Amino acid sequence: MGIRRERKIVQKDDHYWKLGIFYFNRSDSALFVEKRFGIGWTVNLGRPIVWIILFVVLALAGIKQFFFS
């Protein structure tokens, strides 16, 4: 069994999906995973770098709104 196949099996485990739509698995090194439903990708909220990126994006949006509205 290859690493990709094992990762897909783990990513489909209900234990790692919070509220059915948020993927949270600290032991999975992937930043992006396939969505459970529909087409596309979602982020692995178990990775600290994802939280940093989300914070930076929200901070930039807030700064833009504050200074340029």
Side-chain angles (χ1 to χ4, degrees):
M1 196 186 260
I3 293 173
R4 287 187 185 193
R5 185 179 202 114
E6 288 177 17
R7 181 176 282 161
K8 285 197 180 270
I9 291 170
V10 169
Q11 289 174 351
K12 294 192 182 289
D13 188 0
D14 290 338
H15 175 73
Y16 298 113
W17 290 91
K18 308 303 179 196
L19 301 175
I21 57 172
F22 300 109
Y23 183 71
F24 190 92
N25 183 355
R26 290 188 177 145
S27 63
D28 189 353
S29 63
L31 292 179
F32 298 98
V33 295
E34 288 185 56
K35 287 185 175 183
R36 278 180 94 178
F37 307 106
I39 300 171
W41 297 82
T42 189
V43 293
N44 179 2
L45 294 172
R47 305 291 300 169
I49 189 70
V50 171
W51 286 100
I52 294 169
I53 293 168
L54 289 175
F55 176 75
V56 168
V57 168
L58 290 175
L60 290 173
I63 291 169
K64 179 190 175 287
Q65 184 67 24
F66 182 74
F67 287 110
F68 300 108
S69 61

